[in-house]
Amino acid sequence: MQYPVENPKQLEAKLDKLGRVRLSKSFFMRDMLYSTIAQAYGLVNIPDHPELAIEAGRGLCENLLEPMQEQLGPISIRSAYRSPAVNELGNNEGLNCASNEKNYAHHIWDYKGADGYLGATATVVVPSFIDYFEKTGDWTALAWWIHDHLPTYASLYFFPKYAAFNIRWSENPTTKQSIKSYVTNPHTGDKKALVNKGEVQQEVDRDAVYRPWLNSLKEN
């Protein structure tokens, strides 16, 4: 599949201008544009509709990433915005990208989802959580902390390496929250959702789950 390439100088100017846009106190659009898929295949990861991508990105950063960073320390962005062209290639090549239609208002920020609302997803790592996760395997400590402290999240999906996870924001006020994982829950021995369709699936003392992790941060 061939993708159009703009004049390099014009494209550089466009990317530079977009990258300088401030999404929140400490996050800029530049932080969200890097894509290993785009890098490997020689594509440029740039929105079709920059104004929509910026709006969705601000919702994600102001409501979720910024308050998370303020409370837990620096976070690392592994993947965030994907252009339709980059995502389509990732889907076609089997690179763990859902179809464009499924990724609208998720990793593709500049197209509204099927519900008619904007949304944005980023894949992030919380470095202050890595040591605790590698020692205990308990990704639920971070999941429940987010559930209790960042109530505007739309969905979380956890991965095995460093407890990286997708975190999504949606402007849809009726979005049903979910917390899912590819990692076995050490408390239950399964991979069942913690939250599904807005309903908590496992009644636990959530504070007791994440308190040991928070106490370990104070010790260090």
Side-chain angles (χ1 to χ4, degrees):
M1 181 175 294
Q2 298 294 318
Y3 297 94
V5 177
E6 296 184 46
N7 178 285
K9 289 186 177 180
Q10 293 178 342
L11 187 56
E12 180 184 9
K14 185 184 297 186
L15 279 169
D16 185 61
K17 181 179 180 181
L18 180 62
R20 292 173 185 268
V21 174
R22 193 178 189 185
L23 299 178
S24 64
K25 178 182 177 182
S26 55
F27 292 101
F28 291 80
M29 196 65 188
R30 187 183 306 278
D31 303 320
M32 309 297 167
L33 295 176
Y34 179 77
S35 164
T36 54
I37 294 174
Q39 189 81 0
Y41 286 84
L43 298 182
V44 178
N45 191 36
I46 191 167
D48 293 341
H49 307 287
E51 69 287 351
L52 294 181
I54 290 168
E55 182 180 351
R58 282 183 171 146
L60 174 68
C61 291
E62 291 176 353
N63 290 284
L64 297 175
L65 302 190
E66 198 68 59
M68 186 191 309
Q69 182 160 268
E70 288 176 356
Q71 297 182 69
L72 301 180
I75 65 174
S76 176
I77 309 295
R78 274 187 39 175
S79 174
Y81 173 79
R82 293 187 202 138
S83 72
V86 168
N87 190 81
E88 182 181 22
L89 187 148
N91 179 255
N92 290 341
E93 296 294 327
L95 300 175
N96 297 318
C97 296
S99 68
N100 281 12
E101 289 74 17
K102 290 183 179 179
N103 249 328
Y104 289 155
H106 288 260
H107 276 293
I108 301 176
W109 299 359
D110 53 328
Y111 285 81
K112 294 181 179 180
D115 60 2
Y117 289 91
L118 286 174
T121 292
T123 307
V124 305
V125 171
V126 178
S128 64
F129 185 64
I130 292 175
D131 289 345
Y132 183 81
F133 172 70
E134 292 186 340
K135 180 180 179 180
T136 66
D138 191 3
W139 59 273
T140 71
L142 180 54
W144 285 132
W145 183 92
I146 293 172
H147 182 78
D148 284 350
H149 293 81
L150 302 176
T152 58
Y153 80 92
S155 63
L156 306 174
Y157 216 124
F158 282 79
F159 304 97
K161 188 67 172 179
Y162 298 140
F165 59 99
N166 284 349
I167 182 168
R168 179 174 181 256
W169 169 85
S170 173
E171 68 173 357
N172 184 349
T174 65
T175 295
K176 303 296 185 182
Q177 294 176 319
S178 68
I179 301 179
K180 299 180 180 180
S181 178
Y182 289 109
V183 192
T184 298
N185 182 338
H187 301 283
T188 62
D190 58 40
K191 298 179 183 178
K192 294 180 180 179
L194 301 187
V195 178
N196 191 39
K197 297 181 180 179
E199 299 292 333
V200 173
Q201 302 297 298
Q202 302 176 20
E203 292 298 338
V204 299
D205 183 346
R206 298 196 292 267
D207 184 79
V209 173
Y210 55 73
R211 185 58 52 189
W213 162 50
L214 297 179
N215 289 340
S216 75
L217 297 180
K218 297 176 183 177
E219 294 170 0
N220 297 328

